[in-house]
Amino acid sequence: MRTAIYPGSFDPVTLGHIDVIERASKMVDKLIVAVLNNSSKNSLFSVEERVNMLKEVTSHLDNVEIRHFGGLLIDFARECNAAIIVRGLRAVTDFEYELQMAQTNRIMNRDIDTLFLTTDLKYAYLSSSIVKEVARFGGDISEFVVPMVAEKVKEKYKI
Ligand code: PNS
């Protein structure tokens, strides 16, 4: 059974993330979307809220499971029996950070490889930070996230 793990902050999940999840889920038997429980980071949504939103937007995908983790990704991947880490690459600006993470993870565990999926061109600019920035100032985020997520972001900013 081929299991992959797609880690991230998902604060909140964007259409770009959903695109990567849909494509990656077709390549493996099981895809675990792993939400970083980053209590130190200033997240808009709690880890439970992020997990619940992800569950809702992936409910049409039978082989996708949503979990959260703290600590090292490589340890969580081992716990999940996942030999593949999936990451989306948007632009060259992502590359340096992603390469560093992938190489560090590989040094720590040579049995786990990182698989990069280039994001769909229509989401190449998109990030959770951009969604929050636009929403914070009352902008329209309907092109960036599903309606349920847009509502929850607006609630957070009391729009
Ligand atoms: O969506 P993000 O914030 O770009 O995701 C980053 C994430 C969660 C993949 C990364 O921060 C991570 O793996 N954190 C867990 C700690 C860890 O294992 N760090 C070592 C890798 S260099």
Side-chain angles (χ1 to χ4, degrees), residues 8-11 36-45 50 97 129 132:
S9 302
F10 304 105
D11 186 42
L36 178 65
N37 197 345
N38 41 356
S39 48
S40 59
K41 220 170 153 184
N42 245 344
S43 305
L44 180 63
F45 291 98
R50 287 180 272 149
Y97 169 62
S129 307
K132 288 180 279 191

Coordinates of all heavy atoms in Angstrom, one line a residue, residues 8-11 36-45 50 97 129 132:
G8 N 1.3 20.7 5.7 CA 1.2 22.2 5.5 C 0.5 22.8 6.7 O 0.1 22.2 7.6
S9 N 0.4 24.2 6.6 CA -0.3 24.9 7.6 C -1.7 25.0 7.3 O -2.6 25.0 8.2 CB 0.3 26.3 7.7 OG 1.7 26.3 8.0
F10 N -2.1 25.1 6.0 CA -3.5 25.2 5.5 C -4.3 26.2 6.3 O -5.4 25.8 6.9 CB -4.1 23.8 5.6 CG -3.4 22.7 4.8 CD1 -2.6 21.8 5.5 CD2 -3.4 22.7 3.5 CE1 -1.9 20.8 4.8 CE2 -2.7 21.7 2.7 CZ -1.9 20.8 3.4
D11 N -3.8 27.4 6.4 CA -4.5 28.4 7.3 C -4.9 29.6 6.4 O -4.4 30.7 6.5 CB -3.4 28.9 8.3 CG -4.1 29.8 9.3 OD1 -5.2 29.6 9.7 OD2 -3.4 30.8 9.7
L36 N -0.1 21.1 10.2 CA 0.9 21.4 11.3 C 0.2 22.1 12.5 O -0.4 23.1 12.3 CB 2.0 22.3 10.7 CG 3.1 22.7 11.7 CD1 3.9 21.5 12.2 CD2 4.1 23.7 11.2
N37 N 0.4 21.5 13.6 CA -0.1 22.1 14.9 C 0.9 23.1 15.4 O 1.7 22.8 16.3 CB -0.3 20.9 15.9 CG -1.3 21.4 17.0 OD1 -1.5 22.6 17.2 ND2 -1.8 20.4 17.7
N38 N 0.9 24.2 14.7 CA 2.0 25.2 15.0 C 1.5 26.3 16.0 O 1.1 27.4 15.7 CB 2.4 25.9 13.7 CG 1.3 26.3 12.8 OD1 0.1 25.9 13.1 ND2 1.6 27.0 11.7
S39 N 1.4 25.9 17.3 CA 0.9 26.7 18.3 C 1.7 28.0 18.4 O 1.2 29.1 18.8 CB 0.9 26.0 19.7 OG 2.1 25.4 19.9
S40 N 3.0 28.0 18.1 CA 3.8 29.2 18.2 C 3.5 30.2 17.0 O 3.7 31.4 17.2 CB 5.3 28.9 18.2 OG 5.6 28.2 17.0
K41 N 3.1 29.7 15.9 CA 2.8 30.5 14.7 C 1.5 31.2 14.9 O 0.6 30.7 15.5 CB 2.8 29.6 13.5 CG 3.5 30.2 12.3 CD 3.6 29.2 11.2 CE 3.6 29.8 9.8 NZ 3.6 28.8 8.7
N42 N 1.4 32.4 14.4 CA 0.2 33.2 14.5 C -0.9 32.8 13.5 O -1.0 33.3 12.4 CB 0.5 34.7 14.4 CG 0.2 35.4 15.6 OD1 -0.5 34.9 16.5 ND2 0.7 36.6 15.8
S43 N -1.6 31.7 13.8 CA -2.6 31.2 12.8 C -3.9 31.9 13.0 O -4.3 32.2 14.1 CB -2.8 29.7 13.0 OG -1.5 29.0 13.0
L44 N -4.6 32.1 11.8 CA -5.9 32.6 11.9 C -6.9 31.6 12.4 O -7.8 31.9 13.2 CB -6.3 33.1 10.5 CG -7.7 33.7 10.3 CD1 -7.8 35.0 11.1 CD2 -8.0 34.0 8.8
F45 N -6.7 30.3 12.0 CA -7.6 29.3 12.4 C -6.9 28.3 13.3 O -5.7 28.0 13.2 CB -8.1 28.5 11.2 CG -9.0 29.3 10.3 CD1 -8.5 29.9 9.1 CD2 -10.4 29.4 10.6 CE1 -9.4 30.6 8.3 CE2 -11.2 30.1 9.8 CZ -10.7 30.7 8.6
R50 N -8.9 24.1 11.0 CA -8.2 23.8 9.7 C -8.5 22.4 9.3 O -8.8 22.1 8.1 CB -6.7 24.1 9.8 CG -6.4 25.6 9.9 CD -5.0 25.9 10.0 NE -4.5 25.9 11.4 CZ -3.3 25.6 11.8 NH1 -2.4 25.2 10.9 NH2 -3.0 25.7 13.1
Y97 N 13.5 27.2 -0.4 CA 12.9 26.7 0.9 C 12.5 25.2 0.8 O 12.8 24.4 1.7 CB 11.8 27.6 1.3 CG 10.9 27.2 2.4 CD1 11.4 27.0 3.7 CD2 9.5 26.9 2.2 CE1 10.6 26.6 4.8 CE2 8.7 26.5 3.3 CZ 9.3 26.4 4.5 OH 8.5 26.0 5.6
S129 N -1.6 33.1 2.8 CA -1.3 34.5 3.3 C -2.0 35.5 2.4 O -2.5 36.5 2.9 CB 0.2 34.7 3.2 OG 0.9 33.7 3.9
K132 N -5.6 35.7 3.3 CA -5.8 36.5 4.5 C -5.6 38.0 4.3 O -6.4 38.8 4.8 CB -4.9 35.9 5.6 CG -5.3 34.6 6.1 CD -4.5 34.0 7.2 CE -3.2 33.4 6.7 NZ -2.5 32.6 7.6

